[in-house]
């Protein structure tokens, strides 16, 4: 038996035999043409044909993987209509007097290179989309159709990389898993595999090429492990794990599309916490109601330079677009304490958790704050945006934030840049001070989101980073439930809504208490969404009064 490890990007266990994927590559030759006008017309006709193929593929994907993921093919359509792409093809045909196939190949190579240089995983992955579009165009120009590879029996498709169209056209009856040498969690292959519920492991590297067609293989898409020509004991163990997983996930997946309502009609929203654009696929696949916390600091933590306004705008825009009108709450930069960003020099502090973190850092670096707010408001027209601010302790902070927002809006107006007038503004309730002034805060904002991870450490005086303090850092402490109750009552009495986005939100032992208190939304890691829905649907709230009595009023 041989074992290989990659990055598990779509969970599930699959058994099968390896089939190496044969890309339907098209080779392009460079030929001289005399009539460049006619060549441009030939290109435009091929483009029309490619467009209608993409429409068909969209319809096919719509049935296979649903609307959100089918959008990949509308995106391809948009790329095909991109004026820069088209004028480049036309220019090459006319200036160099060469055939359309070569002009398309050259243009797409330039575009793919441009994408691959961008320091953002998601954007880098778009290089594969450009290649996909170019192959389609060239096939149309040559009057060729892509031949789908036929597979017999259960197979595990192995490839250096796969394009989105290759992935979506896989026959789900025979393809048990997908393994690639390259790729990342943000590649569309990974996104589609997750949505199609096909286990997938990517980034297997060079060792991957030691595998052969026909080898027996077990793929664990959760851990990223591949067992090649497995022994009997491994087969038995993996079979047991597979049975358990199938049973559990089928039951949970059947809850997609259901409301988060208790047996006696109490409703709560369940949103997703995400750290980057690469988590959006999982959030949607698990049927989130929206994004309750986008930790924007990851954009800063990942790079040695602070992300520019343009880069942030592109990321926020994409998230909003991909969420198709569902609410997206983006938290402004929350660094300091354990989150150290290499792109800023921050003086050492004796007590970083009580130091210049969250909103305090943004006030200390107004240019950084303003850049982020500009990117957020510019992106706001692409969906339903909420912006929330971390580590709030006082009213003057809200006034300062609002001043900054007004400045940003007025700048955008004078630059004729549109922004939405419906952006909701919220604060994190993660300090005891914020709880105690939550009545006043609620009059100034649209929503609260309880950051129970920090609220626990600050309320219980127990460092969340110190493993020796687990006994004291108890998020189920009555003090915290009381604080959540106070903040909820103050929010509702003053026209605001309230959610919880700390880890406590997915604690199923507390779901009933949160419903009793009247919390409006729980935001959890994508894989916890359906577990939480399952819990909500199993409850009835007949013990509400009893629970509230146990929590007590302050
Ligand atoms: C929290 O404090 O509960 C929270 C959600 O924020 P973070 O864990 O990122 O500090
Ligand atoms: Mg926090």
């Amino acid at each position: 038996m041989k074992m290989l490890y990659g990055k598990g990007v779509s969970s599930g266990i699959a058994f099968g035999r390896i089939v190496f994927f044969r890309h339907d590559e098209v080779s392009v030759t460079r030929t001289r043409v005399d009539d460049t006008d006619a060549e441009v017309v030939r290109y435009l006709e091929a483009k029309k044909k490619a467009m209608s193929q993409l429409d068909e593929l969209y319809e096919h994907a719509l049935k296979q993987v649903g609307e959100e993921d089918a959008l990949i093919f509308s995106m391809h359509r948009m790329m095909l209509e991109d004026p820069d792409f088209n004028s480049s093809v036309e220019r090459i045909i006319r200036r160099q007097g060469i055939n359309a196939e070569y002009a398309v190949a050259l243009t797409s190579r330039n575009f793919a290179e441009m994408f691959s240089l961008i320091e953002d995983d998601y954007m880098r992955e778009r290089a594969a989309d450009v290649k996909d579009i170019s192959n389609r165009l060239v096939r149309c120009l040559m009057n060729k159709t892509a031949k789908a590879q036929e597979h017999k029996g259960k197979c595990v498709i192995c490839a250096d990389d796969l394009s989105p169209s290759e992935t979506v056209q896989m026959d789900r009856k025979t393809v048990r898993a997908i393994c690639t040498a390259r790729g990342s969690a943000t590649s569309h292959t990974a996104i589609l595999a997750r949505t199609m519920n096909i286990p997938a492991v990517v980034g297997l590297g060079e060792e991957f090429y030691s595998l052969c067609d026909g080898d027996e293989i077990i793929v664990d898409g959760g851990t990223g492990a591949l067992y090649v020509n497995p022994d009997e004991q491994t087969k038995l163990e993996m079979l047991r794990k597979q049975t358990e997983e199938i049973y559990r996930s089928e039951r949970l997946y059947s809850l997609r599309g259901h409301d988060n309502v208790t047996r006696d009609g109490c409703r709560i929203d369940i949103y997703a916490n995400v750290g980057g654009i690469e988590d959006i696929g999982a959030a949607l696949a698990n049927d989130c109601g929206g994004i309750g916390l986008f930790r924007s600091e990851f954009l800063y933590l990942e790079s040695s330079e602070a992300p520019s306004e343009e880069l942030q705008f592109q990321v926020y825009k994409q998230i909003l677009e991909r969420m198709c009108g569902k609410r997206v709450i983006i938290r402004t930069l929350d660094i300091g304490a354990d989150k150290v960003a290499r792109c800023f020099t921050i003086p050492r502090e004796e007590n970083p958790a009580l130091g210049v973190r969250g909103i305090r850092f943004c006030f200390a670096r107004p240019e950084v704050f303003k850049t982020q707010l500009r990117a957020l408001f510019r992106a706001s027209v692409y969906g339903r945006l909420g912006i929330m601010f971390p580590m709030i302790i006082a009213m003057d902070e809200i006034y300062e934030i609002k001043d900054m927002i007004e400045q940003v809006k007025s700048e955008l107006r004078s630059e004729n840049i549109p922004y939405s007038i419906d952006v909701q503004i919220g604060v994190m309730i993660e300090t005891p001070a914020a709880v105690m002034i939550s009545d006043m805060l609620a009059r100034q904002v649209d929503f609260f989101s309880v950051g129970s991870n920090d609220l626990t450490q600050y309320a219980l005086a127990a460092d969340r980073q110190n493993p020796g303090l687990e006994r004291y850092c108890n998020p189920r402490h009555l003090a915290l439930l009381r604080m959540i109750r106070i903040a909820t009552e103050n929010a509702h009495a003053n026209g605001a809504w309230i959610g919880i986005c700390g880890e406590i939100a997915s604690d199923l032992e507390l779901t009933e208490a949160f419903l009793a208190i009247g919390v409006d939304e729980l935001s959890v890691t994508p894989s916890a969404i359906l577990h939480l829905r399952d819990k909500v649907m199993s409850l009835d709230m007949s013990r509400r009064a009893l629970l509230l009595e146990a929590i007590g009023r302050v």
Side-chain angles (χ1 to χ4, degrees):
M1 179 171 84
K2 183 180 173 109
M3 287 177 71
L4 262 70
Y5 291 95
K7 190 171 171 55
V9 292
S10 177
S11 63
I13 291 169
F15 292 71
R17 293 213 172 257
I18 292 179
V19 172
F20 266 88
F21 189 80
R22 284 191 306 281
H23 295 285
D24 192 22
E25 291 287 357
V26 274
S27 65
V28 171
T29 49
R30 181 185 166 101
T31 51
R32 202 165 293 113
V33 290
D34 298 326
D35 188 349
T36 52
D37 281 343
E39 196 60 10
V40 169
V41 171
R42 200 166 76 81
Y43 167 67
L44 294 176
E45 273 162 11
K47 192 177 108 183
K48 217 177 344 164
K49 199 162 152 194
M51 291 279 204
S52 81
Q53 283 181 1
L54 284 169
D55 286 341
E56 275 172 35
L57 213 48
Y58 174 83
E59 291 302 323
H60 175 77
L62 200 61
K63 288 188 209 115
Q64 292 279 317
V65 291
E67 193 178 346
E68 271 105 11
D69 288 301
L71 282 177
I72 292 167
F73 300 105
S74 332
M75 193 181 88
H76 280 195
R77 218 176 177 283
M78 267 157 54
M79 283 188 179
L80 208 49
E81 279 173 314
D82 182 75
D84 290 340
F85 187 93
N86 286 297
S87 55
S88 161
V89 173
E90 202 176 319
R91 208 171 37 243
I92 294 171
I93 295 174
R94 291 193 193 283
R95 290 215 185 132
Q96 301 187 19
I98 57 160
N99 56 332
E101 287 86 341
Y102 198 83
V104 167
L106 203 59
T107 301
S108 79
R109 200 178 68 201
N110 293 341
F111 271 65
E113 253 169 34
M114 199 171 72
F115 276 117
S116 66
L117 292 176
I118 299 178
E119 248 195 54
D120 172 76
D121 286 350
Y122 184 83
M123 293 306 286
R124 229 182 352 252
E125 289 299 338
R126 302 294 66 79
D129 292 295
V130 176
K131 198 163 161 221
D132 204 8
I133 295 165
S134 149
N135 280 343
R136 179 173 307 285
L137 271 171
V138 171
R139 263 191 234 105
C140 289
L141 281 162
M142 292 174 162
N143 280 325
K144 279 188 177 174
T145 43
K147 284 192 279 310
Q149 195 175 341
E150 293 202 353
H151 319 293
K152 291 197 184 73
K154 301 175 205 164
C155 63
V156 168
I157 296 291
C158 291
D160 51 346
D161 210 351
L162 290 167
S163 71
S165 358
E166 284 165 343
T167 311
V168 83
Q169 290 183 89
M170 298 258 163
D171 179 359
R172 270 202 267 183
K173 286 201 266 323
T174 53
V175 175
R176 294 296 141 113
I178 294 172
C179 302
T180 63
R182 290 189 277 128
S184 73
T186 51
S187 63
H188 270 138
T189 306
I191 296 170
L192 286 169
R194 277 195 291 274
T195 319
M196 291 164 83
N197 215 6
I198 297 178
V201 177
V202 300
L204 282 151
E206 283 305 305
E207 237 202 307
F208 174 75
Y209 296 104
S210 62
L211 305 181
C212 288
D213 263 324
D215 278 345
E216 195 180 349
I217 187 168
I218 305 175
V219 179
D220 186 339
T223 61
L226 264 53
Y227 305 89
V228 187
N229 298 321
D231 54 38
E232 285 309 307
Q233 198 192 336
T234 308
K235 280 190 203 169
L236 277 174
E237 259 171 44
M238 297 307 285
L239 197 61
R240 189 184 44 76
K241 194 170 169 194
Q242 184 194 43
T243 317
E244 276 169 17
E245 277 194 7
I246 290 176
Y247 179 73
R248 220 180 18 241
S249 70
E250 270 181 4
R251 211 184 63 73
L252 285 177
Y253 264 59
S254 70
L255 300 181
R256 291 194 301 175
H258 285 252
D259 277 345
N260 310 304
V261 184
T262 62
R263 296 213 305 266
D264 51 347
C266 260
R267 191 174 292 273
I268 193 158
D269 284 326
I270 303 183
Y271 285 9
N273 288 352
V274 295
I277 208 154
E278 63 276 15
D279 300 332
I280 301 287
L284 288 168
N286 284 287
D287 202 20
C288 67
I291 301 297
L293 167 65
F294 177 87
R295 289 182 158 99
S296 71
E297 55 273 14
F298 287 110
L299 281 172
Y300 297 72
L301 298 182
E302 283 157 8
S303 74
S304 51
E305 255 176 72
S308 64
E309 178 183 318
E310 188 56 29
L311 189 135
Q312 292 190 59
F313 163 70
Q314 290 295 346
V315 172
Y316 304 149
K317 170 176 176 265
Q318 275 171 42
I319 296 167
L320 287 159
E321 282 177 340
R322 288 191 61 196
M323 290 305 294
C324 302
K326 289 184 178 183
R327 198 196 309 270
V328 175
I329 295 175
I330 298 182
R331 174 173 72 185
T332 54
L333 177 61
D334 184 23
I335 52 165
D338 55 316
K339 292 179 227 166
V340 184
R342 274 184 302 135
C343 55
F344 301 118
T345 30
I346 301 173
R348 226 188 74 77
E349 292 176 300
E350 202 56 51
N351 254 318
L354 304 178
V356 183
R357 56 168 302 199
I359 197 69
R360 300 171 186 182
F361 178 82
C362 290
F363 288 152
R365 299 288 299 269
E367 73 293 352
V368 173
F369 193 30
K370 200 164 168 195
T371 302
Q372 183 168 35
L373 288 175
R374 276 184 62 99
L376 283 164
F377 275 94
R378 279 176 58 196
S380 64
V381 288
Y382 295 93
R384 195 165 159 224
L385 177 67
I387 306 177
M388 84 177 159
F389 301 90
M391 277 294 285
I392 296 297
I393 59 156
M395 293 306 292
D396 63 353
E397 293 170 336
I398 297 296
Y399 303 135
E400 196 170 333
I401 289 168
K402 286 192 161 183
D403 276 353
M404 185 67 104
I405 289 177
E406 282 317 309
Q407 261 185 52
V408 163
K409 285 183 179 174
S410 122
E411 271 182 27
L412 293 177
R413 275 195 304 273
S414 65
E415 292 164 37
N416 277 328
I417 298 176
Y419 62 85
S420 163
I421 51 162
D422 287 325
V423 176
Q424 286 209 342
I425 300 298
V427 289
M428 297 215 38
I429 301 288
E430 52 184 351
T431 63
V435 175
M436 298 317 288
I437 58 166
S438 51
D439 52 337
M440 294 151 76
L441 286 172
R443 288 195 277 277
Q444 294 295 327
V445 297
D446 302 297
F447 68 93
F448 287 162
S449 186
V450 178
S452 55
N453 308 339
D454 278 315
L455 189 57
T456 306
Q457 76 164 343
Y458 297 131
L460 306 180
D463 180 359
R464 70 191 256 196
Q465 292 299 111
N466 184 340
L469 290 180
E470 240 167 63
R471 173 177 161 204
Y472 302 102
C473 215
N474 169 21
R476 291 184 184 166
H477 197 295
L478 185 59
L480 285 158
L481 289 177
R482 284 191 178 175
M483 286 184 161
I484 294 172
R485 183 172 182 187
I486 296 171
T488 305
E489 288 176 3
N490 281 335
H492 290 168
N494 293 286
W497 62 270
I498 182 165
I500 304 177
C501 65
E503 292 308 301
I504 202 181
S506 57
D507 184 343
L508 302 183
E509 296 286 315
L510 294 177
T511 314
E512 195 179 357
F514 295 149
L515 279 157
I517 289 172
V519 171
D520 303 291
E521 173 249 22
L522 296 171
S523 189
V524 298
T525 187
S527 59
I529 293 173
L530 294 172
H531 290 277
L532 191 52
R533 175 170 300 163
D534 192 26
K535 178 72 186 183
V536 171
M537 289 170 75
S538 73
L539 291 170
D540 78 61
M541 295 309 295
S542 52
R543 299 194 313 159
R544 165 178 273 149
L546 226 80
L547 280 164
L548 287 178
E549 205 182 316
I551 294 167
R553 201 185 212 105
V554 187

